[in-house]
Amino acid sequence: MITPQLLNPASIALVGASNDVSKPGGKVLYNILKHGYKGELYGVNPKEQQVQGVPCFATCDELPEIDLAIVAIAANQVEAALRSLAYYKNCKAFILFSAGFSEAGEAGKMLEQRCVQIVEKTGGTLIGPNCIGVITGNYKGVFAGPVPAYDPMGCDCVSASGATMVYLLESAIPRGLKFRDIFSVGNSAQVGVEDVLQYWDETYDPAYSSSIKLLYMEQIADPARFLKHARSLVNKGCRIAAIKAGNTEAGSRAVSSHTGALAGSDAAVSALFRKAGIIRCYSRIELVYVAAIFTIKPLQGNRIAVITHAGGPGVMLTDILVKGGMEVPPITGPKADELLAKLYPGSSVSNPIDFLATGNAQQLGEILDYVDNEFDDIDGAVVVFGTTGMWRVDDVYQVLHEKIKTCRKPIFPILPSAIQAAEEVSHFHTMGHVNFTDEVSFGYVLTRVNKLQLPYPDAQLPAEDADLIREVIRRNTAGYLQPDEVTALLRAAGIPTAGQATANTQEEAIVAANRLGFPLVMKVVGPVHKSDVGGVVLGIESEAEVTANYKQLMGIAGAEAVLLQQQLSGIEVYMGAKAEPPFGKLILCGLGGIFVEVFKDVSAALSPVHPDEAARMIRRLRSYPIIQGARGKAGVNEELLVQTILKLSALLEAAPEIIEMDINPLLGNPDVLVAVDARILIEK
Amino acid sequence: MITPQLLNPASIALVGASNDVSKPGGKVLYNILKHGYKGELYGVNPKEQQVQGVPCFATCDELPEIDLAIVAIAANQVEAALRSLAYYKNCKAFILFSAGFSEAGEAGKMLEQRCVQIVEKTGGTLIGPNCIGVITGNYKGVFAGPVPAYDPMGCDCVSASGATMVYLLESAIPRGLKFRDIFSVGNSAQVGVEDVLQYWDETYDPAYSSSIKLLYMEQIADPARFLKHARSLVNKGCRIAAIKAGNTEAGSRAVSSHTGALAGSDAAVSALFRKAGIIRCYSRIELVYVAAIFTIKPLQGNRIAVITHAGGPGVMLTDILVKGGMEVPPITGPKADELLAKLYPGSSVSNPIDFLATGNAQQLGEILDYVDNEFDDIDGAVVVFGTTGMWRVDDVYQVLHEKIKTCRKPIFPILPSAIQAAEEVSHFHTMGHVNFTDEVSFGYVLTRVNKLQLPYPDAQLPAEDADLIREVIRRNTAGYLQPDEVTALLRAAGIPTAGQATANTQEEAIVAANRLGFPLVMKVVGPVHKSDVGGVVLGIESEAEVTANYKQLMGIAGAEAVLLQQQLSGIEVYMGAKAEPPFGKLILCGLGGIFVEVFKDVSAALSPVHPDEAARMIRRLRSYPIIQGARGKAGVNEELLVQTILKLSALLEAAPEIIEMDINPLLGNPDVLVAVDARILIEK
């Protein structure tokens, strides 16, 4: 819960206030004073009566009532200070810089919990501990980092790492990115990323709120709440970019020693972001480029005009855009010829539009007008314009400024002369614009942003026979289900299965074989990885083969029975599900065999899966051309794949006890999709 | 040919000299004067008698003898100036800034050729036209860009794009990268990238030459010479990074229409770079990061200690290193405990080594000493250290400076505080170091640099029966070879083929079938894409089936005969070759079928292929686990794959008339690799 006092305090107490700006309690006060906080300010420091011109008290007990306390004292003194402030000073907001809490071991964790309890008892908000602070329109409560000028339409940020926030600003400010509210949530003892998202969501007003949200996280403690508010914000018109670090084993180890958090499944994080319509970033610089692209009106297509006075960068940019699936289409025709005539001899308008090193501001204006008004198969422009260093380029950037404001199509400015045109670029920023310095980094990020999908709505997934599903779950104990139970669950979910029977004797096997019809597959029951122990025999054509193979399969260690199945033909499809706490169930699909096991070509989505989400899962597969029918061979019915993913998801929703499940393979062709083998693990 | 007068001129004439530094002829003179050129300087300008304090003549004819002329006049005046200088002034080096030559159409192209002829007639060197100039230890002959301080051990550069060179410097200088000789070769009328490489190679002296070479190219006109000198330089201890962008003339649209191809010229460029031991970059910033890594002693392994006072960046860096195949191994044991005791409470040494926001210079020194001396399973360290902005970090960077100098293991400095620690970072640069600003960009590039292989030596590849190969080529006309001729070529190359026979009648088919033995494959002869027209029938087991299928296959449009082959089993392998002028023949290999056609999982190398290169081709495949034997199934004999690639390469060397060739499939298992189907296209 974020209290109004955190956002808009009428009074702030600095506990641990200092005259020394090389200390957090000095620097934060300096920042608050410098950036014109209008409310009451008090310090707490037993050694001072005034700090940086602000009245200072020896203890918290001496303070008047206070809205917000910023606490920068040793961990072992924090609890007493909080108690005094919360219980006696009506303080409803706390920012705790101090380290030495849950990130420092068990005792720190307990101390942290006690602090949260004190704050919650009186309905307050606690930010941190182990954070660099908060910036709002009201005050600049941070002790670290360059303090960006406050822009009411700038990016809103929340970060679980203070250093990442600081270094993000270090990368962002030189590119003209503006900022609004910043929350460094540190250990997230009470307020985490989810709470900040919820606050942004619940207070969102298109006229007054920023539409760009940037997140850095090392854990997502409450994915359901995260999804709810992130999705809601995106649906209201926000654009969200997020880093979730700790996505490898070594990275998870780093996370746990950094903030004590559990990193969680990387595939689940990506699936969550896709569901919420969030773009996932992996570095500060990528986050900065994405945020800068977010400040420019969205592209309504993927056809780009590359406009430059510098050939090489234009070529590299064109390469990366095309590699990322965008188009740099040829520009030809009478209007192109007309434009060409307005440029210096030797220029080219065929796209890239290269108006030479001598190209000037007026020509850039002409080019942008033609792109905006005359070239209908162009959706936006990228302008690469630096300087040789021989003359200033203020006039060019002035034209860029005007055209970005007035053109219907988005214009992305790449201004590479960080040294020689530093002043002009800086002035361009003051006119409200961002710039990109490296054309290829920009192009890569643009292709990613342009592929971003809107969030998937919540899916309603009624299972075909929920009663039967519950019945099967009820009558089984925890562990792997027997083949008949697996079949029952699949059928109850509406997933077709191959005709099959379990035989406990040779005679039963022959009876079943004749009932199912040849050709047949025979599989050992018992061992989990049947193929690895030679427990699967294909192409059984006669009673004699049934007899021989029954004996052989029952000789395998762990054999309990033999399963006989119709041998169907088609493309092997894999589907599966896995509990990924706290994210819920991850639904997986791909083509079977080597595609899953060698190429790791698997798509994932969090259950419940929306139909559009299922369709995207399939189309995202690298093996999708095989599903479509490659090399003159029949593919797999895409609609049946989608329906089966949805039925699988519905099964998981009806039977949350299923913690792991594989249908491997299903056999698919243009007409049918049938489960041939499956295993299901339940937990109770 | 690069003359000594270009590198070390005793006199320079500026043709088109100006007092106006916003003109090329003014700015280049300004740069030459400012950076202390010691030789004779003259201007040529009919309107001036002195330019920027330098004596000026009305025409070139009035000049004394001159070593180097820098020409900055309109294209239509250039030829006369060159004639005067080359024929009458003994001028042996020309830098031609002027545009309006081959890039501007046919007339410009002819003018350019005449200029080259004038220069070559007297044994001179021509740089450009359409370039920004040259920087050597002797003079700074450039009109554009920030002029870097000259460092005799700095990076040597050559660029086919002046703007790319300028913007590369704009990105490189703020990261502390130092530069030595710079060649902007423009249109490469006479001197191209190959010539500059040759010059660097032939004059290389480890004591006096820079070991870092950076290239930007849009074409490689002479790949053989490029390879020769690049490989030689790398073998002498140089490290080369290069961007090869799409062709400006055809535009990158040409590149995009080739993206779907198996092996366009882009694959040839990558193959050439691999053969030469060059790292391929795709952006200016990547080139800068690679160059900066090259300035630091090479890693002797892939195990990294991540050292930081900032948790989040440490986590992101760890993630990207591990994803790129490097290790951030846990650090434990008594020595780790000993180090931990020297750090502030709450620090972690388990890797990342996190010594907290309060960590200081002395602690960093301790950590680096432990990494260098005590932690044997660590090969190098990355230090991420910025500032909160509360204190200066000069002492920390001083320690970094000392440890980079003295430690045996490489140390990579990531200094993210571009704003707040700008002065300290700048001072760090003056001590001779580079820095990286974004930890993830750095980590990605480090994993690429660490995978770089040494060049492959030239391979000696005697074909098994060169006489027979020549005989087959001689007796065939251009076009696709008949099956028997294909078989003869494969056998002459030593590539085993499946037993087979061509039948022109039903009776011949039956005789052949009985000779080859069942099971058989029958294929239509005539149509090129047999599978697509139903022209391949597998599993023929009897004379009756031979009869039936013969009739059916001969009914296919274009059918000329029927081929019968032993039906072998194994994994389908694809090999091929393609003429890629001017690069020569590109040899391709991968697994057959969908792996080639859907996943585009193909490795390429330029012929002649070295055995180590062939081995790497195989291991680079995404489907390599299948070759090794995945999922309990037999794989393909790797040594036979290597040998067959070499035999294919030998065939191409012996028969350069082959311009396209596919062996698809070969069937392979742990014991044999046999060509089952192949087509060969020759050109005469």
Side-chain angles (χ1 to χ4, degrees):
Chain A
M1 187 184 89
I2 290 178
T3 54
Q5 290 87 344
L6 178 71
L7 304 162
N8 217 12
S11 55
I12 304 178
L14 257 295
V15 184
S18 171
N19 282 307
D20 181 354
V21 296
S22 74
K23 291 182 173 169
K27 191 60 180 281
V28 67
L29 182 53
Y30 171 86
N31 283 335
I32 290 171
L33 288 167
K34 184 182 170 194
H35 294 277
Y37 171 64
K38 303 268 192 296
E40 307 278 318
L41 255 179
Y42 305 98
V44 176
N45 182 337
K47 295 180 193 146
E48 309 280 353
Q49 293 194 308
Q50 234 195 20
V51 179
Q52 299 184 44
V54 165
C56 189
F57 301 96
T59 67
C60 291
D61 295 339
E62 296 164 42
L63 283 167
E65 288 210 346
I66 285 293
D67 276 357
L68 165 67
I70 300 178
V71 182
I73 54 180
N76 61 10
Q77 301 172 21
V78 167
E79 200 178 352
L82 261 52
R83 204 171 270 131
S84 169
L85 291 158
Y87 297 163
Y88 299 100
K89 306 299 172 186
N90 198 27
C91 184
K92 297 290 188 216
F94 299 84
I95 298 170
L96 196 42
F97 291 165
S98 322
F101 289 83
S102 65
E103 85 284 6
E106 206 45 45
K109 194 168 185 174
M110 289 171 64
L111 174 61
E112 187 173 300
Q113 284 167 356
R114 289 199 303 276
C115 289
V116 171
Q117 282 162 7
I118 293 165
V119 172
E120 295 202 328
K121 216 171 266 181
T122 56
T125 293
L126 174 69
I127 300 287
N130 193 17
C131 75
I132 65 157
V134 169
I135 288 177
T136 76
N138 182 293
Y139 67 102
K140 310 290 166 267
V142 292
F143 72 88
V147 178
Y150 192 84
D151 183 327
M153 288 293 139
C155 305
D156 280 327
C157 293
V158 57
S159 174
S161 158
T164 303
M165 193 63 238
V166 170
Y167 302 153
L168 180 69
L169 293 168
E170 294 270 10
S171 298
I173 293 171
R175 286 165 181 94
L177 209 59
K178 312 295 190 295
F179 289 88
R180 191 177 186 270
D181 291 356
I182 291 175
F183 297 89
S184 163
V185 293
N187 291 4
S188 302
Q190 187 210 27
V191 172
V193 171
E194 296 85 345
D195 301 274
V196 176
L197 277 175
Q198 179 172 356
Y199 155 67
W200 284 333
D201 182 24
E202 290 171 356
T203 60
Y204 187 77
D205 178 333
Y208 297 102
S209 303
S210 162
S211 65
I212 302 174
K213 314 293 183 192
L214 308 181
L215 326 176
Y216 173 86
M217 299 163 290
E218 295 182 356
Q219 68 169 348
I220 301 175
D222 188 348
R225 197 150 58 97
F226 181 95
L227 173 63
K228 176 181 171 187
H229 297 294
R231 183 157 60 183
S232 168
L233 281 164
V234 176
N235 284 331
K236 288 170 183 171
C238 285
R239 304 214 268 173
I240 307 180
I243 296 174
K244 160 67 180 70
N247 45 50
T248 59
E249 204 186 318
S252 302
R253 195 176 66 236
V255 165
S256 69
S257 70
H258 179 216
T259 50
L262 284 176
S265 151
D266 196 54
V269 170
S270 288
L272 181 70
F273 283 14
R274 276 193 297 270
K275 210 183 250 303
I278 293 176
I279 190 158
R280 185 169 188 184
C281 298
Y282 292 88
S283 69
R284 291 183 285 117
I285 193 69
E286 191 180 8
L287 194 66
V288 168
Y289 270 66
V290 169
I293 288 173
F294 282 173
T295 67
I296 295 167
K297 68 182 70 127
L299 272 166
Q300 301 300 330
N302 70 348
R303 300 163 303 175
I304 300 292
V306 171
I307 302 167
T308 180
H309 69 154
V315 177
M316 289 188 281
L317 173 59
T318 301
D319 282 342
I320 191 79
L321 289 173
V322 170
K323 269 188 205 167
M326 299 186 79
E327 288 179 51
V328 183
I331 298 175
T332 54
K335 286 292 173 185
D337 296 342
E338 199 177 289
L339 173 61
L340 188 60
K342 294 171 190 272
L343 307 178
Y344 289 133
S347 295
S348 163
V349 297
S350 60
N351 205 12
I353 299 176
D354 185 344
F355 64 122
L356 309 182
T358 46
N360 60 35
Q362 188 220 325
Q363 291 169 338
L364 178 62
E366 295 273 12
I367 293 168
L368 287 171
D369 285 342
Y370 271 77
V371 166
D372 206 41
N373 300 318
E374 307 293 353
F375 302 149
D376 291 339
D377 57 352
I378 296 293
D379 301 305
V382 184
V383 176
V384 185
F385 206 102
T387 177
T388 56
M390 290 191 295
W391 52 78
R392 288 184 65 99
V393 287
D394 305 82
D395 56 346
V396 178
Y397 294 176
Q398 182 65 32
V399 167
L400 254 182
H401 161 64
E402 285 157 16
K403 297 301 175 191
I404 288 173
K405 274 200 310 186
T406 57
C407 285
R408 293 170 301 117
K409 298 176 184 174
I411 300 170
F412 302 92
I414 296 172
L415 313 182
S417 295
I419 300 170
Q420 297 192 119
E423 287 176 20
E424 296 98 308
V425 170
S426 193
H427 182 243
F428 187 69
H429 293 164
T430 65
M431 292 190 283
H433 304 290
V434 296
N435 80 295
F436 306 91
T437 47
D438 187 77
E439 56 280 349
V440 175
S441 306
F442 162 79
Y444 170 73
V445 171
L446 184 68
T447 61
R448 289 202 59 211
V449 171
N450 217 41
K451 280 178 201 149
L452 186 60
Q453 299 285 310
L454 281 177
Y456 298 107
D458 262 334
Q460 295 301 320
L461 294 176
E464 296 228 336
D465 189 343
D467 291 344
L468 178 52
I469 291 172
R470 293 311 312 159
E471 167 64 16
V472 174
I473 296 295
R474 194 191 52 73
R475 73 173 174 240
N476 279 281
T477 53
Y480 282 103
L481 300 186
Q482 289 298 310
D484 292 351
E485 308 283 349
V486 169
T487 304
L489 275 185
L490 292 178
R491 288 192 180 151
I495 298 171
T497 55
Q500 65 176 39
T502 306
N504 289 295
T505 65
Q506 197 172 298
E507 291 67 36
E508 280 178 25
I510 287 170
V511 170
N514 284 316
R515 180 169 61 77
L516 293 166
F518 295 97
L520 282 169
V521 188
M522 290 175 69
K523 297 177 185 173
V524 67
V525 176
V528 172
H529 297 287
K530 299 176 173 65
S531 298
D532 297 352
V533 294
V536 178
V537 185
L538 301 172
I540 308 270
E541 295 276 2
S542 66
E543 283 190 18
E545 288 179 62
V546 170
T547 307
N549 283 293
Y550 181 85
K551 280 180 193 154
Q552 195 217 311
L553 290 170
M554 288 303 288
I556 293 170
E560 293 164 9
V562 167
L563 186 73
L564 294 94
Q565 284 180 319
Q566 295 174 299
Q567 182 166 331
L568 305 170
S569 67
I571 292 176
E572 284 192 15
V573 173
Y574 164 82
M575 288 192 191
K578 197 162 181 277
E580 288 285 4
F583 294 90
K585 303 293 165 57
L586 200 62
I587 305 285
L588 306 161
C589 90
L591 293 190
I594 47 162
F595 299 99
V596 168
E597 293 177 30
V598 175
F599 284 83
K600 315 288 182 205
D601 184 27
V602 180
S603 284
L606 284 168
S607 188
V609 180
H610 187 271
D612 295 344
E613 197 175 8
R616 294 286 297 189
M617 282 176 80
I618 294 162
R619 280 179 224 137
R620 204 165 59 232
L621 289 167
R622 275 184 279 140
S623 51
Y624 178 58
I626 298 171
I627 291 169
Q628 290 181 293
R631 308 178 74 228
K633 286 188 184 146
V636 184
N637 186 309
E638 235 176 293
E639 182 52 29
L640 283 178
L641 283 170
V642 169
Q643 289 309 322
T644 307
I645 290 171
L646 299 180
K647 286 171 180 169
L648 175 60
S649 181
L651 171 60
L652 272 287
E653 295 300 309
E657 293 86 349
I658 298 176
I659 55 164
E660 207 181 300
M661 165 163 185
D662 291 311
I663 317 180
N664 192 14
L666 298 106
L667 284 173
N669 60 43
D671 303 314
V672 294
L673 182 66
V674 177
V676 174
D677 201 0
R679 59 197 182 96
I680 295 178
L681 178 63
I682 65 169
E683 191 177 69
K684 286 196 165 178
Chain B
M1 186 183 87
I2 290 179
T3 54
Q5 288 87 344
L6 178 71
L7 304 163
N8 218 11
S11 55
I12 303 178
L14 258 295
V15 183
S18 170
N19 282 308
D20 181 352
V21 295
S22 74
K23 291 184 173 170
K27 191 60 180 281
V28 67
L29 182 54
Y30 171 85
N31 283 336
I32 291 172
L33 288 167
K34 183 182 171 194
H35 293 276
Y37 171 65
K38 303 269 192 292
E40 308 277 317
L41 256 180
Y42 305 98
V44 176
N45 183 337
K47 294 181 194 147
E48 309 280 352
Q49 294 195 309
Q50 234 193 20
V51 180
Q52 299 185 44
V54 164
C56 190
F57 300 95
T59 67
C60 291
D61 295 339
E62 296 164 42
L63 283 168
E65 288 209 344
I66 284 293
D67 276 358
L68 165 67
I70 299 178
V71 181
I73 54 180
N76 60 10
Q77 300 171 23
V78 167
E79 199 177 353
L82 260 52
R83 206 173 267 129
S84 168
L85 290 159
Y87 298 163
Y88 300 98
K89 304 299 172 186
N90 198 28
C91 185
K92 298 289 190 217
F94 300 83
I95 298 172
L96 198 41
F97 292 164
S98 322
F101 289 85
S102 64
E103 85 284 5
E106 205 48 44
K109 194 168 184 175
M110 288 171 64
L111 174 60
E112 187 173 300
Q113 285 168 355
R114 291 199 301 277
C115 290
V116 172
Q117 282 162 7
I118 293 165
V119 171
E120 294 203 327
K121 217 172 263 182
T122 55
T125 293
L126 174 69
I127 300 287
N130 194 20
C131 73
I132 65 157
V134 169
I135 288 178
T136 76
N138 183 291
Y139 68 102
K140 310 290 167 268
V142 291
F143 72 87
V147 178
Y150 193 83
D151 184 327
M153 288 294 139
C155 305
D156 280 327
C157 293
V158 57
S159 175
S161 158
T164 302
M165 191 64 237
V166 169
Y167 301 152
L168 180 68
L169 291 169
E170 294 270 12
S171 297
I173 293 171
R175 285 164 182 97
L177 209 58
K178 313 294 190 297
F179 289 87
R180 190 176 187 268
D181 291 357
I182 291 175
F183 297 89
S184 163
V185 293
N187 291 3
S188 302
Q190 187 209 29
V191 172
V193 171
E194 296 86 344
D195 301 273
V196 175
L197 275 176
Q198 180 172 354
Y199 155 67
W200 283 334
D201 182 25
E202 290 172 354
T203 60
Y204 186 77
D205 178 334
Y208 296 102
S209 303
S210 163
S211 65
I212 303 174
K213 314 293 183 193
L214 308 181
L215 326 177
Y216 173 86
M217 299 164 290
E218 295 182 355
Q219 65 168 353
I220 302 176
D222 188 347
R225 197 150 60 96
F226 180 95
L227 174 62
K228 177 182 170 186
H229 296 295
R231 183 156 61 183
S232 168
L233 280 165
V234 175
N235 284 331
K236 287 171 183 169
C238 284
R239 303 215 267 174
I240 306 179
I243 295 174
K244 159 67 180 70
N247 198 309
T248 45
E249 192 193 351
S252 298
R253 289 191 311 282
V255 173
S256 85
S257 69
H258 282 228
T259 306
L262 281 184
S265 61
D266 201 53
V269 170
S270 289
L272 181 69
F273 283 11
R274 277 194 297 271
K275 211 184 248 301
I278 293 175
I279 190 158
R280 185 168 187 184
C281 296
Y282 293 88
S283 70
R284 292 182 287 115
I285 193 69
E286 191 181 9
L287 195 65
V288 167
Y289 270 65
V290 170
I293 288 173
F294 282 173
T295 68
I296 295 167
K297 68 183 69 134
L299 272 167
Q300 301 299 327
N302 69 349
R303 300 164 303 176
I304 300 292
V306 171
I307 302 167
T308 181
H309 69 154
V315 178
M316 291 187 280
L317 174 59
T318 300
D319 281 339
I320 191 78
L321 290 173
V322 170
K323 269 190 203 164
M326 300 186 79
E327 290 177 49
V328 183
I331 298 175
T332 53
K335 286 290 173 186
D337 297 340
E338 199 177 288
L339 173 60
L340 187 60
K342 293 170 191 273
L343 307 178
Y344 288 134
S347 296
S348 163
V349 298
S350 61
N351 205 10
I353 299 175
D354 185 343
F355 63 123
L356 307 184
T358 45
N360 61 34
Q362 187 218 326
Q363 290 169 338
L364 178 61
E366 295 274 12
I367 293 167
L368 288 170
D369 285 341
Y370 271 78
V371 166
D372 207 41
N373 300 316
E374 307 294 352
F375 301 150
D376 291 340
D377 56 353
I378 295 294
D379 300 306
V382 184
V383 175
V384 185
F385 206 102
T387 178
T388 56
M390 289 191 295
W391 53 76
R392 288 185 64 99
V393 288
D394 305 84
D395 56 345
V396 177
Y397 294 177
Q398 181 66 32
V399 166
L400 253 182
H401 162 63
E402 285 157 17
K403 296 302 176 190
I404 289 173
K405 273 200 312 186
T406 57
C407 286
R408 291 170 303 119
K409 298 176 184 173
I411 300 170
F412 302 93
I414 295 172
L415 313 182
S417 294
I419 300 170
Q420 298 192 116
E423 286 177 21
E424 296 99 308
V425 170
S426 193
H427 182 243
F428 187 68
H429 293 163
T430 65
M431 292 191 281
H433 304 291
V434 296
N435 80 295
F436 306 90
T437 46
D438 187 77
E439 56 281 348
V440 175
S441 306
F442 162 80
Y444 170 73
V445 171
L446 184 68
T447 61
R448 289 203 59 212
V449 170
N450 217 40
K451 280 179 201 147
L452 185 61
Q453 299 286 308
L454 280 177
Y456 299 106
D458 262 335
Q460 295 300 318
L461 293 176
E464 295 228 336
D465 190 341
D467 291 344
L468 178 52
I469 291 172
R470 293 310 313 157
E471 167 63 18
V472 176
I473 297 294
R474 194 192 52 72
R475 74 174 175 238
N476 279 281
T477 53
Y480 282 103
L481 299 186
Q482 289 298 309
D484 293 351
E485 308 283 348
V486 169
T487 304
L489 274 186
L490 292 178
R491 287 190 181 153
I495 298 171
T497 56
Q500 65 177 39
T502 306
N504 290 298
T505 65
Q506 196 172 298
E507 292 69 33
E508 279 177 24
I510 287 169
V511 170
N514 284 315
R515 181 169 59 76
L516 292 166
F518 296 96
L520 283 169
V521 187
M522 290 176 70
K523 295 178 186 174
V524 67
V525 176
V528 172
H529 296 286
K530 299 175 175 65
S531 299
D532 297 353
V533 293
V536 179
V537 186
L538 301 171
I540 309 274
E541 296 276 2
S542 65
E543 283 190 16
E545 288 179 64
V546 170
T547 306
N549 283 294
Y550 181 86
K551 282 181 190 150
Q552 194 216 310
L553 290 171
M554 288 304 288
I556 293 170
E560 294 163 8
V562 167
L563 186 72
L564 294 94
Q565 285 180 320
Q566 296 173 298
Q567 182 165 333
L568 304 170
S569 66
I571 293 176
E572 283 193 16
V573 173
Y574 164 81
M575 288 193 193
K578 196 160 182 279
E580 286 288 3
F583 294 89
K585 304 293 165 56
L586 200 61
I587 305 286
L588 306 160
C589 89
L591 292 191
I594 46 161
F595 298 100
V596 169
E597 291 175 32
V598 176
F599 284 84
K600 316 286 183 206
D601 183 26
V602 180
S603 284
L606 285 168
S607 188
V609 181
H610 186 272
D612 294 345
E613 199 174 8
R616 294 285 297 190
M617 283 174 79
I618 295 162
R619 278 179 224 138
R620 205 165 57 233
L621 290 167
R622 275 184 280 141
S623 51
Y624 178 58
I626 298 170
I627 291 168
Q628 291 181 293
R631 308 179 73 229
K633 285 188 184 146
V636 183
N637 186 310
E638 236 176 293
E639 182 52 30
L640 283 178
L641 284 170
V642 169
Q643 289 308 322
T644 308
I645 290 171
L646 299 180
K647 285 170 180 170
L648 175 59
S649 181
L651 171 60
L652 272 285
E653 296 298 310
E657 292 86 350
I658 299 175
I659 56 164
E660 205 181 303
M661 164 162 186
D662 291 313
I663 316 180
N664 191 14
L666 298 106
L667 284 173
N669 60 43
D671 303 315
V672 293
L673 183 66
V674 177
V676 174
D677 202 1
R679 57 196 184 96
I680 295 178
L681 178 64
I682 66 170
E683 190 177 72
K684 286 195 164 180

